[in-house]
Amino acid sequence: MATDLAEFIGAALGLYLLFGIPLFPAALIAAVGSFAILELQRRGVRQLEAGIAGMVLIVVLAFGLQMVFAQPEPSSIFKGLFTPQFQGVDSVMLAAGILGATVMPHAIYLHSALTQKRVIGKTEIERKQIFRYEFFDVLIAMIIAGAVNASMLIVAASLFFGNGLLVEDLDVAFNQFGEIIGPFSAILFGVALLASGLASSSVGTKTGDIIMQGYIKRRIPLYVRRAITMIPPLAIIALGVNPTAALVLSQVILSFGIPFALVPLIIFTSNRKIMGSLVNHWLTKFLAWAIASVIIVLNLFLLYQTLQMLF
């Protein structure tokens, strides 16, 4: 539901920015669009995946062009890449949000479920070959997700921070794109918001279905689930809550969810009884626990800083 909240609001904002439709009617139109994407599933998983992949391609192209228009300094990019730093609680919260948006915890369950019955290896050699394909599949997906998130930061730093502008809302960013670069850049930003919102919301709905089947062995019809998970974002928009703030907070919530998916994943894949010859290598285990520890420490630090501010 945290995923749906972010992506649903993103799609509604995209419609609002592109066509000037008020947020609540835009959210209802986004709802219809997300149902239409789920309808692709009736034609088969391949059709659904093709639809989502097409929208992801739109997002990648949009932010790729934004990078070209922004013309960031390569030296600044490398400096930020190799010398990361925090400046207060807000920057820690944004870092946690970016982490949650890139490594969405529910995607671990969804990806496993979509692939486990598609191609079944009958022999040890076949299983290892399938594993290699899956490894590159996940690697490419993470590189794309990381590149899109990085390009957003780089473009914002180059265009807004570089010009002394404080941009905290997506509608302000949309207007600034139009003023600094031109209308086409602003349209690209709105289209990317709309496409990413519609694509990711359907992913969240599918995942909820899979997780419930696995944990409590219950299945709610996909369209009923879609309708239920629309309630929080529609309520937030109807109440007039700042949509950008709600979007960032939802990604932070996702970041807090990562350890709950990652820690069991490491434990299971390190168990030879479960994995057989595909059990984690000791180096994989070491790196996985190190990464999980960093994420947990980051989340605990954010909690501590936030509580300190409140009390």
Side-chain angles (χ1 to χ4, degrees):
M1 289 180 85
T3 307
D4 274 349
L5 191 149
E7 313 308 351
F8 200 79
I9 288 175
L13 274 170
L15 289 168
Y16 163 71
L17 295 172
L18 288 169
F19 306 108
I21 302 169
L23 269 178
F24 193 76
L28 295 177
I29 294 170
V32 174
S34 64
F35 275 119
I37 293 168
L38 286 178
E39 185 63 26
L40 287 173
Q41 190 178 349
R42 289 182 181 272
R43 301 172 182 269
V45 176
R46 293 288 187 189
Q47 297 289 336
L48 178 65
E49 287 180 345
I52 292 171
M55 283 182 282
V56 170
L57 181 61
I58 291 170
V59 176
V60 171
L61 291 174
F63 281 105
L65 286 171
Q66 295 283 31
M67 284 278 285
V68 174
F69 295 148
Q71 296 181 337
E73 295 178 5
S75 59
S76 298
I77 295 173
F78 285 109
K79 183 181 177 183
L81 182 65
F82 294 109
T83 57
Q85 53 187 300
F86 294 123
Q87 292 182 359
V89 178
D90 287 346
S91 65
V92 178
M93 181 173 287
L94 283 173
I98 291 168
L99 196 63
T102 307
V103 190
M104 296 182 289
H106 62 277
I108 293 171
Y109 297 99
L110 178 63
H111 200 277
S112 175
L114 289 176
T115 57
Q116 66 181 349
K117 293 179 181 178
R118 182 172 295 175
V119 182
I120 300 172
K122 296 178 180 179
T123 66
E124 200 67 28
I125 295 171
E126 286 181 354
R127 282 193 285 270
K128 287 183 178 180
Q129 190 174 24
I130 292 166
F131 172 77
R132 280 195 294 272
Y133 289 138
E134 293 299 335
F135 174 80
F136 286 111
D137 183 28
V138 174
L139 185 65
I140 291 167
M142 287 292 95
I143 288 172
I144 292 171
V148 169
N149 279 282
S151 67
M152 290 186 212
L153 276 179
I154 293 165
V155 169
S158 180
L159 290 181
F160 306 144
F161 184 78
N163 289 300
L165 300 171
L166 181 63
V167 177
E168 295 184 333
D169 290 307
L170 292 173
D171 54 344
V172 178
F174 177 82
N175 293 326
Q176 289 298 332
F177 275 122
E179 289 181 17
I180 298 171
I181 300 177
F184 181 64
S185 177
I187 290 169
L188 280 176
F189 180 69
V191 168
L193 263 180
L194 178 60
S196 64
L198 290 174
S200 298
S201 62
S202 55
V203 169
T205 305
K206 277 285 295 175
T207 307
D209 190 43
I210 286 162
I211 290 174
M212 281 192 71
Q213 287 179 57
Y215 280 123
I216 59 175
K217 303 189 186 304
R218 287 286 182 90
R219 184 166 192 168
I220 296 175
L222 217 59
Y223 292 100
V224 175
R225 173 182 300 286
R226 172 74 277 191
I228 292 170
T229 55
M230 283 179 185
I231 294 171
L234 285 173
I236 283 171
I237 292 170
L239 292 170
V241 176
N242 184 308
T244 305
L247 197 152
V248 172
L249 187 60
S250 69
Q251 301 305 289
V252 174
I253 293 169
L254 281 179
S255 175
F256 280 103
I258 292 173
F260 294 96
L262 196 57
V263 170
L265 179 72
I266 299 169
I267 292 171
F268 295 151
T269 54
S270 299
N271 188 328
R272 188 169 291 277
K273 289 182 180 179
I274 296 173
M275 300 299 297
S277 63
L278 293 175
V279 68
N280 285 338
H281 188 272
W282 69 267
L283 182 59
T284 306
K285 281 194 283 188
F286 174 79
L287 292 172
W289 283 117
I291 291 166
S293 300
V294 168
I295 294 169
I296 292 167
V297 168
L298 177 65
N299 288 336
L300 291 174
F301 176 71
L302 178 59
L303 262 182
Y304 168 75
Q305 290 280 66
T306 305
L307 291 172
Q308 200 174 41
M309 279 181 61
L310 291 173
F311 303 106

